[in-house]
Amino acid sequence: MALDPMQSRSMFAGQKPGKPRDVSAFNVDSAMGEIADIEAERQNHLQNWRSAFNLVQPDRQTLDNQQPGQNRAPQETFDSYPVRACQHGIGNIIGAMTPPEQEWCAIEPGSGIPADRKDAITKGTEKITEVVFDYLGRSRFATEAHAMASDLVISTGFLVVDKGTIDEPFRVRAIPMGECYPVEGPDGEIRNVYRKYKCRVSHIRETWPAATLSIRLARILKDKPREKVELVEATTYEPKKGYRFTVFDPYDKAIIYDVPPSDPNEP
């Protein structure tokens, strides 16, 4: 079970790339190689995953990029027991990870806080925790968390939290399994996560105001702004630095948006 490191994308979506510093250029070829490896490995499991969805969630198929209105009826015979068991499992996951109407995590002072300041800071962090859960309650978190848990029953679930609006402070989305490519690090934990999907070209700068469009994308934006193009969002871990968020066009390998890890020496 893995939660998507792209949850941190809320910090990146409206952020302008920082000043140049001692960071390496993002390696698009390496990223595409990792995606290709995952796609090849995934072929060994796709049929089993499809069968699992057909048996326990016959009205939900997140592995394939299906068109709106396309029939998702199961291709296999099933009875109601697997469906009920799946719903019970989803409820257990939600209850264990993000129980409704409860504060299932808390922001607390770190161990480095001086003892004489800890009480005052604790009051502040308790208020922040309260505000965070108020924001989550005003978002689609519960609905999207259920969708993520539905994928976790089969394999891996992904949840992305973006900066929202005044009415909906957090924009929460469960990302379909078929769009996401998690890559294990040397310790067996998920280090890099790629999301490959199609996006309307006119939405690119709306999502990332500081994005730099390639010549190809700029031409498409001018001539066919409603056309959808394939993008890759990459959340990659750089040792001793942290996570890097990059968006690139896999067609011509052009980097559209890149936020390197924060410099640990910066205030």
Side-chain angles (χ1 to χ4, degrees):
M1 180 176 71
L3 292 181
D4 186 4
M6 286 193 291
Q7 289 178 5
S8 59
R9 181 171 169 266
S10 58
M11 299 184 294
F12 302 138
Q15 180 178 338
K16 294 184 178 180
K19 296 179 180 179
R21 50 179 181 266
D22 185 21
V23 293
S24 58
F26 182 79
N27 192 328
V28 174
D29 287 327
S30 175
M32 293 183 67
E34 287 194 314
I35 292 173
D37 290 343
I38 295 298
E39 286 181 328
E41 182 179 349
R42 182 175 286 179
Q43 294 302 315
N44 299 321
H45 307 286
L46 278 177
Q47 188 55 49
N48 289 333
W49 287 338
R50 289 191 181 101
S51 295
F53 270 115
N54 288 339
L55 289 169
V56 303
Q57 300 182 60
D59 59 343
R60 190 170 187 271
Q61 173 61 269
T62 62
L63 293 171
D64 304 307
N65 293 321
Q66 297 178 316
Q67 297 299 318
Q70 184 174 340
N71 183 19
R72 295 189 179 188
Q75 303 300 314
E76 302 177 21
T77 303
F78 67 95
D79 58 39
S80 62
Y81 179 79
V83 177
R84 295 199 308 271
C86 177
Q87 293 301 319
H88 184 72
I90 292 172
N92 286 343
I93 291 173
I94 295 295
M97 294 177 58
T98 59
E101 308 300 329
Q102 295 185 39
E103 294 184 359
W104 36 265
C105 70
I107 301 172
E108 299 179 345
S111 58
I113 300 298
D116 59 339
R117 298 184 56 196
K118 191 168 185 177
D119 288 344
I121 293 176
T122 297
K123 292 181 180 179
T125 56
E126 288 175 348
K127 181 61 178 179
I128 293 172
T129 300
E130 183 180 327
V131 170
V132 167
F133 277 91
D134 175 62
Y135 283 4
L136 288 175
R138 291 160 54 193
S139 72
R140 288 174 48 85
F141 181 84
T143 300
E144 297 300 315
H146 186 277
M148 178 198 68
S150 299
D151 284 338
L152 282 174
V153 171
I154 306 299
S155 178
T156 307
F158 298 87
L159 197 67
V160 174
V161 182
D162 292 327
K163 181 179 180 181
T165 63
I166 294 177
D167 295 329
E168 188 179 3
F170 293 145
R171 182 168 170 253
V172 185
R173 293 170 297 148
I175 305 300
M177 288 171 55
E179 294 182 359
C180 294
Y181 301 83
V183 180
E184 289 186 359
D187 52 6
E189 296 182 354
I190 300 300
R191 284 291 184 89
N192 299 341
V193 174
Y194 301 100
R195 181 191 177 200
K196 185 167 68 171
Y197 66 106
K198 288 189 175 181
C199 168
R200 186 173 292 176
V201 69
S202 60
H203 290 172
I204 295 177
R205 283 212 175 107
E206 186 177 337
T207 304
W208 303 286
T212 301
L213 298 184
S214 64
I215 295 175
R216 185 182 79 92
L217 292 180
R219 186 180 298 114
I220 295 174
L221 177 62
K222 179 180 178 181
D223 298 336
K224 300 177 181 179
R226 295 175 60 84
E227 183 169 325
K228 289 188 175 182
V229 296
E230 191 168 67
L231 297 179
V232 174
E233 294 180 16
T235 303
T236 53
Y237 179 76
E238 298 187 3
K240 300 181 180 180
K241 294 181 180 180
Y243 281 100
R244 179 178 200 152
F245 181 74
T246 309
V247 183
F248 66 87
D249 178 357
Y251 181 85
D252 55 14
K253 302 181 182 180
I255 294 177
I256 297 171
Y257 189 71
D258 185 32
V259 181
S262 299
D263 187 335
N265 296 319
E266 289 182 354

